[in-house]
């Protein structure tokens, strides 16, 4: 959970299952539980929702927002850094493996700002990718001197 001031609270350890993106409702577009995108990324974890779910193989990040679903700069900055760290540790591609709740379940406009403005979500993922490069360069100064 990322607060308005950018403080991050770990509610569930990453190695435990949180119930953050499960669904029992059908996606409007596919007529199935979970979106086509979720099924392509999570495979069997989104194919048999009664047995498994994307909750089993994903990390949920809740971001506090003000009226209209707007994030504070501090919340966004902390989310960029946290997502960069998670993507680096688990070798994830931010462009294809950071998803909104809506992209997983289809029917829920969450987070509202990015569900209504997908270009802003794309910009966020680009920021995460850039942060990953910056952090890698900062952690490997010798590698940069020989490039």
């Amino acid at each position: 959970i990322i607060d308005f001031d950018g403080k991050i609270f770990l509610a569930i350890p990453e190695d435990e299952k949180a119930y953050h993106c499960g669904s029992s409702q059908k996606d409007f577009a596919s007529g199935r539980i979970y979106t086509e995108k979720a099924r392509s990324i999570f495979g069997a974890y989104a194919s048999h929702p009664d047995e498994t779910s994307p909750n089993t193989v994903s990390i949920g990040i809740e971001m506090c927002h003000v009226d209209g679903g707007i994030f504070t700069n501090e919340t966004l900055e902390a989310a960029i850094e946290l997502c960069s760290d998670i993507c680096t540790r688990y070798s994830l591609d931010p462009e294809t493996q950071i998803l909104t709740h809506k992209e997983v379940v289809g029917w829920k406009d969450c987070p509202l700002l990015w569900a209504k403005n997908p270009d802003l979500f794309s910009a966020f993922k680009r920021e995460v990718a850039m942060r990953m490069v910056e952090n890698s360069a900062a952690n490997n100064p010798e590698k940069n001197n020989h490039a």
Side-chain angles (χ1 to χ4, degrees):
I1 303 167
I2 304 176
D3 205 348
F4 299 109
D5 62 0
K7 186 171 183 179
I8 299 171
F9 299 91
L10 178 63
I12 306 289
E14 288 179 14
D15 62 349
E16 291 184 21
K17 184 175 180 178
Y19 293 87
H20 57 279
C21 67
S23 184
S24 60
Q25 293 185 37
K26 292 183 178 178
D27 166 41
F28 300 123
S30 70
R32 297 170 66 188
I33 295 178
Y34 300 114
T35 64
E36 293 294 335
K37 184 174 195 171
R39 283 194 300 281
S40 72
I41 291 171
F42 299 117
Y45 291 98
S47 299
H48 307 286
D50 292 335
E51 301 167 24
T52 62
S53 77
N55 289 322
T56 308
V57 291
S58 63
I59 297 170
I61 300 172
E62 193 70 36
M63 299 167 62
C64 294
H65 56 83
V66 294
D67 292 339
I70 305 297
F71 303 117
T72 65
N73 290 336
E74 294 84 1
T75 300
L76 277 174
E77 178 58 31
I80 290 167
E81 190 61 37
L82 179 59
C83 287
S84 170
D85 174 64
I86 291 169
C87 286
T88 298
R89 285 188 287 117
Y90 293 101
S91 299
L92 302 174
D93 173 14
E95 185 58 37
T96 59
Q97 293 179 295
I98 296 177
L99 305 173
T100 63
H101 196 173
K102 182 172 183 70
E103 289 177 306
V104 175
V105 299
W107 54 267
K108 187 171 186 174
D109 285 340
C110 178
L112 182 62
L113 178 67
W114 290 340
K116 301 281 185 196
N117 302 282
D119 289 346
L120 293 177
F121 184 53
S122 293
F124 171 80
K125 293 189 290 184
R126 284 192 302 274
E127 288 288 328
V128 171
M130 287 190 296
R131 183 65 54 86
M132 291 170 70
V133 170
E134 292 167 6
N135 289 345
S136 176
N139 291 330
N140 298 304
E142 290 179 17
K143 189 176 185 180
N144 296 326
N145 291 336
H146 301 293

